[in-house]
Amino acid sequence: VGGAFLRSELELCARLRGLEFGPPVRYVYNPLEYAWEPHSRYVSTYCHSGQQVLFLGMNPGPFGMAQTGVPFGEVASVRDWLQISGEVGRPPEEHPKRPILGLQCAQREVSGARFWGFFRSLCGEPGIFFRRCFVHNLCPLVFMNQAGKNLTPPELATPQREALLRLCDEGLCQAVRALGVTTVVGVGRVAEQRARKALSAAGVQVRVEGLMHPSPRNPLANKGWEAVARARLQELGILELLAP
């Protein structure tokens, strides 16, 4: 399963290389290229048959997966809980304010710390979480403007955004088929809506649900994301899959 999943990611990366991005995008990082070593270790360690639920993020954060190659990959969570390591290179062109430091990055990514911290408190061991669940991003690319501000795919110019997301939708369908999951949980409204539309259009028979994004940009998440996530996963019947 892990091998088929990695192949689907490599095929998506090859197709994405054909895209060009104009303003507001000035820098594009692809951690599946320069952080392939820790990323492939994450997949080979934790992706296996029998997983039922795929948690789907939108795209890498500048201090998370952009540094570590792991979805929601806040450095401490990746290093200390998931225990993933590996050499991280550099993108062809870096913004001077957004260098890639790999597992040496000292900047904390709040979304990733909340996401993996919640599952760590719930499951104790990574093996308990990954017994039935896996985590992936719809889009593997990181976008920044001239000033180094992070841009999400919805903030891209419309023609470029649509070309990007069309390829990412196809990649998601391929990944879901490779994984054989029965439920996709979009983390954040955009990931949920995109997954529902893409998988339905491709005739992939899976349940698509949503979970509030743990981003500090989200005022509701700042009031207690863990309690919201626990209640939502209980409602979806997923919480019971995560019991130690």
Side-chain angles (χ1 to χ4, degrees), residues 35-47 64-65 67-71 73-88 102-104 116 126 130 134:
W36 179 254
E37 191 172 301
H39 177 76
S40 60
R41 280 186 186 165
Y42 160 73
V43 175
S44 60
T45 302
Y46 292 121
C47 180
M65 184 171 175
Q67 302 290 339
T68 64
V70 176
E74 184 250 353
V75 169
S77 300
V78 170
R79 183 189 60 220
D80 302 335
W81 195 55
L82 300 178
Q83 298 194 319
I84 296 295
S85 61
E87 191 174 330
V88 177
L103 291 164
Q104 306 309 310
W116 289 118
F130 288 104
F134 193 63

Side-chain angles (χ1 to χ4, degrees), residues 11 16 26 37 60 66 74 92 112 126 182 186 191 204:
E11 288 169 18
L16 290 174
R26 174 62 183 81
E37 191 172 301
E74 184 250 353
T182 54
V204 182

